[in-house]
Amino acid sequence: MSADIIDGKAFAANLRSRVADLVPAFRAAAGRAPGLAVVLVGEDPASQVYVRSKHKATIEAGMESFEHRLPETATQDELLALVRQLNADDSVDGILVQLPLPNGIDENLVISTIDPDKDVDGFHVTNAGRLAVGQHGYVPCTPLGCLMLLRDRLGNLSGLDAVVIGRSNIVGKPMAQLLLAESCTVTIAHSRTKDLPAVVRRADIVVAAVGRAEMVKADWIKPGATVIDVGINRVPGAEPGKTKLVGDVDYAGAAEIAGAITPVPGGVGPMTIAVLLRNTLVAAHHRAGVALAADAI
Ligand code: NAD
């Protein structure tokens, strides 16, 4: 058997264009565009690439993009003052502080200073709590993107056995909460889990968010299962000196057994920015008191 490939790139492009289609009506109702502020501290090359992509995607969706760059030497107080200024700015619906932050800046303090109703990354404890108790809030973009791919593939997830490998605050834990809210039977596996292959073999849905290249082997996968690979790992490529990206799942092997699987790259990766735009659009409607149909996006 050969698995269907879940095309996250195409799904994300479609989501971005659905967001863009909803922007003009918001502009007409609110008299302004939805606005996303992205804060970058320091010169981390990967973070610079992410911030550039977010800026480009925001503009392409017809939204306002506010970029704030602080030097590596910026103090925690300077960053907190900027976050407070963005909290108070009515044209800003979403605030994203690009992580990681330079040494000496307390990430938790910075995140907890963001207005939870502008926290489109969904990292504030208020939003983690809202997700846990099923209230309206903002859900971290990567796991919400995974859920969208799963719903698109499987429809109703109720009663399915889901195994999430990884328990980070930004992927594993919110992913587990989202699947629980869909009435899956959820197992969270992690570095201390006993007999991980046996745990994964029970799963109708496997979400791997570990950060270890091709750790999940083909013979761990239940035939027909849906496999979502969040991992992004850089490994040596075929040519000397070249590298390539692989996921946390042995893709070639698992694709022989799974019912459907996300590739790396081109699976979960492109969903993150698309969901960020979606969260910003939702935040804009919420903040401006403009109605957005529950099934609109
Ligand atoms: P993390 O390092 O915070 O968490 C990794 C988790 O994996 C931990 O909870 C740990 O318990 C678990 N783990 C470690 N070793 C394990 C083992 N041997 N067996 C089982 N579990 C083990 O990582 P993260 O931030 O959650 O990210 C995970 C992966 O997802 C990384 O590769 C990251 O690059 C990728 N990621 C991708 C996107 C995206 O596609 N946009 C976004 C976020 C993270």
Side-chain angles (χ1 to χ4, degrees):
M1 191 174 81
S2 194
D4 293 336
I5 295 167
I6 298 175
D7 188 344
K9 201 172 165 192
F11 191 99
N14 181 274
L15 177 57
R16 287 203 313 269
S17 86
R18 281 187 288 138
V19 168
D21 288 348
L22 290 164
V23 168
F26 176 83
R27 272 181 191 266
R32 63 177 183 84
L36 174 64
V38 177
V39 179
L40 174 62
V41 186
E43 307 288 329
D44 180 67
S47 294
Q48 293 197 3
V49 173
Y50 293 141
V51 166
R52 255 200 310 277
S53 318
K54 285 167 188 170
H55 173 75
K56 187 165 165 270
T58 308
I59 300 289
E60 278 171 9
M63 299 188 187
E64 199 83 57
S65 170
F66 308 101
E67 249 187 84
H68 294 268
R69 287 168 183 263
L70 297 181
E72 185 84 27
T73 52
T75 64
Q76 181 169 289
D77 284 349
E78 283 167 335
L79 178 55
L80 293 177
L82 174 58
V83 169
R84 290 193 187 100
Q85 179 196 318
L86 296 171
N87 283 345
D89 184 341
D90 244 355
S91 59
V92 173
D93 297 296
I95 301 171
L96 183 154
V97 178
Q98 185 66 46
L99 302 179
L101 291 169
N103 289 339
I105 298 185
D106 179 350
E107 280 184 6
N108 285 330
L109 181 60
V110 173
I111 292 166
S112 67
T113 304
I114 297 172
D115 177 348
D117 292 329
K118 296 189 177 189
D119 170 39
V120 286
D121 248 346
F123 294 166
H124 194 291
V125 287
T126 298
N127 282 316
R130 286 166 169 169
L131 174 61
V133 298
Q135 287 179 8
H136 169 85
Y138 297 98
V139 177
C141 301
T142 302
L144 184 53
C146 294
L147 182 71
M148 288 178 178
L149 295 177
L150 283 167
R151 277 202 193 132
D152 184 58
R153 165 76 194 175
L154 296 169
N156 188 354
L157 308 184
S158 178
L160 296 179
D161 283 314
V163 171
V164 179
I165 318 174
R167 56 175 162 181
S168 71
N169 289 338
I170 63 167
V171 189
K173 280 185 206 157
M175 186 75 244
Q177 292 285 4
L178 286 168
L179 291 166
L180 188 60
E182 297 290 317
S183 299
C184 291
T185 303
V186 182
T187 304
I188 307 176
H190 47 78
S191 52
R192 303 293 175 88
T193 296
K194 282 185 271 176
D195 199 358
L196 184 59
V199 172
V200 174
R201 261 179 219 121
R202 292 204 301 262
D204 303 306
I205 294 170
V206 181
V207 180
V210 181
R212 287 179 171 234
E214 299 176 332
M215 184 193 85
V216 177
K217 303 302 175 204
D219 66 357
W220 301 12
I221 305 295
K222 174 163 131 179
T226 303
V227 178
I228 304 290
D229 191 349
V230 184
I232 302 176
N233 309 288
R234 197 164 278 287
V235 297
E239 291 169 49
K242 291 267 165 63
T243 60
K244 62 172 182 169
L245 293 181
V246 298
D248 290 343
V249 179
D250 165 19
Y251 179 80
E256 293 296 314
I257 293 164
I261 187 166
T262 57
V264 177
V268 173
M271 291 300 292
T272 302
I273 290 183
V275 176
L276 176 67
L277 300 178
R278 177 259 176 213
N279 282 357
T280 304
L281 184 78
V282 172
H285 282 78
H286 208 69
R287 292 188 56 258
V290 177
L292 180 68
D295 59 354
I297 199 79

